[in-house]
Amino acid sequence: MKKTTRVNHPPPVELPPGNHPLVAPIYQTVKFEFDTLAQTEAHLRGERPGFFYTRASNPTTRQLELLLAELQGREDCLVTASGVGAIAQTLLALTKQGDHVICFVETYNPTRYLIRRLLRRFGVSHTLLSIEDLAALERTLAAHPTRLVFFESPTNPVTKIADVTALTGLARAAGALSVMDNTFAGFHQHGGFAVDIFVHSLTKYASGCGDVMGGAVIARPELIDAMRSDFGALGGTLDPHAAFLILRGLKTYFVRYAAQCASAARIAQRLAAHPAVARVHYPGLPTHPQHALAAKQMQDFGTIVSFDLKGGASAARRFADTLELFALAASLGSTESLVVTAQMMVGRDLDADQQRISAITAGTIRLSIGLEETDDLLGDLARALDAAGAESAQI
Ligand SMILES: Cc1ncc(COP(=O)(O)O)c(C=O)c1O
């Protein structure tokens, strides 16, 4: 064999039987082959297991899918290149012209865009409700045959808690599928509820380090099987190297999440006592209007702490610019703490009444608490709150 040929067919190295790597290898390959054409054809007919083309499946992405399904308490999963990819592909795979979808004012802005703008172009109608108005949900389900009810809990950014039992019960009774974006709560929560389909952004807590994007759809096998070929055709596959990084991130998921939640709880308490703060939105605080529901539904209260500054937009600007440890950046769930202001979160598609329901005020701030020392974060927040409060008092 000439060297030019050899470099394209390097010597194979196979592990001997009984010899295993502790970390599964990254199958960084697009193609897989079978030994014969007959085996290839059998695989393509679905009669022989294996892998053929990474857009359809790959051992590394499959390992991540099996792990996530188990963490969320379901049997199967499909992973995608981003969280929004998981949401978009789920919506496209599960709806057809003439269907009706229910979503909420408090739903993540890009999800609302997908339902209100993209699905509408394909003849799918929607109704936008408040996550707190279960009576309106019941009325809407009675008035319109509905394919999907798409919701989140806690909601972004003001951490409203959806009543998961009531919501999924109403959807199921009306013959609609419930889809829950469980990104804010993580993979270990809400699995015991009758949610039909969970979607997640793996970009957040799964990776944890803010260096890789991914998404997941987790459900019972018949729903995943119904979506699988559309997902393959839509092509938003997760790369095996990204899957490897996410699998690596998941090894520390539970310890990271617990430490970040503990820090978030301390920070929420401290914010609530500061004179520059009008209101703190953290489901772990007894003052949160749905604290009891959160305590019933969740094992912990998350790492997102939002609050409203008394001084409005100008105080928010001074606050954000004074912070040193919190990066002014999108996303959440990473090891580094992040801050976003109302201007970065407001839903520009919402009318005045819907803006009121969304509860984002000019002084609303969302913090994503990372893994820094809590005392350092508290010191940084105290300086920024003093800057926000002091100058607004002079105005
Ligand atoms: C609740 C929620 N769902 C989905 C996404 C989208 O995830 P990705 O950024 O991985 O597309 C985000 C991102 O911020 C989110 O907050």
Side-chain angles (χ1 to χ4, degrees), residues 14 20 32 37 58 69 88-89 110 115 148 154 168 174 176 215 222 232 237 271 304 310 325 331 344 369 381:
E14 280 173 20
H20 312 282
F32 297 82
L37 177 59
N58 170 291
Q89 292 183 211
I115 293 172
L148 304 177
T168 54
E222 64 269 26
T237 313
L271 288 171
I304 302 299
K310 285 183 186 157
L325 292 178
S331 202
M344 298 163 76
I369 306 303
L381 289 167

Side-chain angles (χ1 to χ4, degrees), residues 84-230:
V84 158
I87 296 165
Q89 292 183 211
T90 300
L91 291 171
L92 289 171
L94 291 180
T95 59
K96 60 179 186 332
Q97 188 179 20
D99 279 346
H100 175 252
V101 173
I102 296 176
C103 63
F104 299 91
V105 169
E106 298 89 343
T107 300
Y108 178 55
N109 288 345
T111 306
R112 279 206 318 276
Y113 172 88
L114 286 167
I115 293 172
R116 305 186 79 192
R117 304 285 294 275
L118 185 117
L119 286 193
R120 177 181 284 172
R121 296 212 300 268
F122 297 104
V124 176
S125 62
H126 72 273
T127 303
L128 188 68
L129 302 172
S130 165
I131 195 73
E132 293 169 300
D133 194 350
L134 288 172
L137 175 64
E138 198 168 0
R139 279 197 306 277
T140 308
L141 285 166
H144 301 275
T146 297
R147 174 68 172 148
L148 304 177
V149 178
F150 195 114
F151 73 104
E152 289 157 40
S153 185
T155 65
N156 182 16
V158 299
T159 69
K160 292 187 193 178
I161 304 296
D163 185 333
V164 185
T165 306
L167 216 136
T168 54
L170 288 172
R172 194 158 282 189
L177 291 171
S178 54
V179 186
M180 178 174 197
D181 182 337
N182 210 18
T183 301
F184 262 48
F187 308 93
H188 58 298
Q189 318 234 38
H190 298 136
F193 291 89
V195 173
D196 291 305
I197 297 148
F198 289 100
V199 293
H200 282 272
S201 166
L202 306 178
T203 315
K204 312 296 189 290
Y205 298 105
S207 123
C209 293
D211 54 5
V212 60
M213 300 199 81
V217 184
I218 305 170
R220 53 185 184 273
E222 64 269 26
L223 285 171
I224 293 292
D225 287 345
M227 290 188 266
R228 192 182 299 281
S229 49
D230 282 0

Side-chain angles (χ1 to χ4, degrees), residues 26 28 60-61 64 81 212-214 238-248:
I26 314 173
Q28 194 66 48
T60 310
T61 54
L64 176 61
V212 60
M213 300 199 81
L238 188 71
D239 183 77
H241 191 255
F244 166 79
L245 289 174
I246 293 166
L247 280 161
R248 187 167 70 166

